[in-house]
Amino acid sequence: MLSDTYSPQLPTLVKSPPAGPQWIHELKYDGYRIGARVEHGKISLITRNGNDWTTTFPEIAAAVKELALEQALIDGEAAVVLPNGVTSFQALQGVLKEHERGRLVYFVFDLLHLDGRDLAGLPLEQRKEILAGLTGEVAAADAVLRYSRHFEGDGADVLREACRMGLEGIV
């Protein structure tokens, strides 16, 4: 049964990224963490504090609805992508105030529930593989819904590259 609540795992701030092949790394986006709850055609966008933001992000709700899922809980981040490819919380707040909605993106990075199955107990790589299959790994540059890839390899190397690109960080 699909839970009414959205309780995402939150990253823990550390001084250095983990090393070793057992870790995968994702980009850290500068936006709002949002769970997309799909229940028989009805989409609800829930913040990590339990607030319903469906009317705040109608573009995201519409993009999730196009996935034609019967029942799901997707974990992601609502963000604004600047022309240089970096996300900006300040720009997101500006979009919400000024209603310039064209740069809004929903980066999806985890699938917690799908069609009656709680997927939270599966390894993250499996959940991401299912999510990539549902959303497509490659989205148009102007797509609202975008799959967030992960990176394998040494955490320090991934972090160094993220910093070189001016990104928020890694998870």
Side-chain angles (χ1 to χ4, degrees):
M1 174 174 232
L2 181 60
S3 173
D4 287 333
T5 61
Y6 164 65
S7 302
Q9 288 186 338
L10 302 176
T12 301
L13 183 63
V14 295
K15 291 182 189 250
S16 60
Q22 72 273 25
W23 297 96
I24 63 171
H25 313 280
E26 298 175 325
L27 298 179
K28 165 92 174 66
Y29 300 105
D30 198 9
Y32 284 118
R33 186 84 174 264
I34 299 287
R37 186 178 187 281
V38 180
E39 181 74 36
H40 308 293
K42 181 178 186 246
I43 311 299
S44 302
L45 303 177
I46 311 298
T47 68
R48 63 187 190 152
N49 294 324
N51 299 314
D52 187 332
W53 278 27
T54 310
T55 58
T56 305
F57 296 123
E59 306 90 332
I60 293 174
V64 171
K65 190 171 185 119
E66 288 196 18
L67 294 175
L69 299 169
E70 185 64 26
Q71 197 180 58
L73 181 57
I74 300 170
D75 194 4
E77 187 97 359
V80 167
V81 179
L82 299 176
N84 66 357
V86 175
T87 58
S88 167
F89 188 75
Q90 184 177 3
L92 177 59
Q93 289 180 317
V95 163
L96 294 176
K97 288 179 186 170
E98 298 177 22
H99 306 291
E100 291 181 28
R101 311 298 288 203
R103 300 179 294 157
L104 185 63
V105 174
Y106 184 47
F107 290 102
V108 296
F109 42 75
D110 201 355
L111 180 63
L112 304 170
H113 186 98
L114 180 63
D115 296 333
R117 287 185 54 215
D118 179 1
L119 304 181
L122 294 178
L124 177 60
E125 294 95 327
Q126 274 188 271
R127 297 192 313 263
K128 288 184 71 70
E129 184 177 323
I130 296 167
L131 180 61
L134 293 171
T135 62
E137 283 195 52
V138 180
D142 62 347
V144 172
L145 183 92
R146 300 185 198 176
Y147 173 75
S148 178
R149 294 182 51 238
H150 64 275
F151 302 92
E152 298 178 7
D154 183 64
D157 291 340
V158 176
L159 178 60
R160 192 171 21 264
E161 184 63 15
C163 290
R164 184 192 67 73
M165 296 171 64
L167 301 175
E168 176 79 6
I170 63 171
V171 177

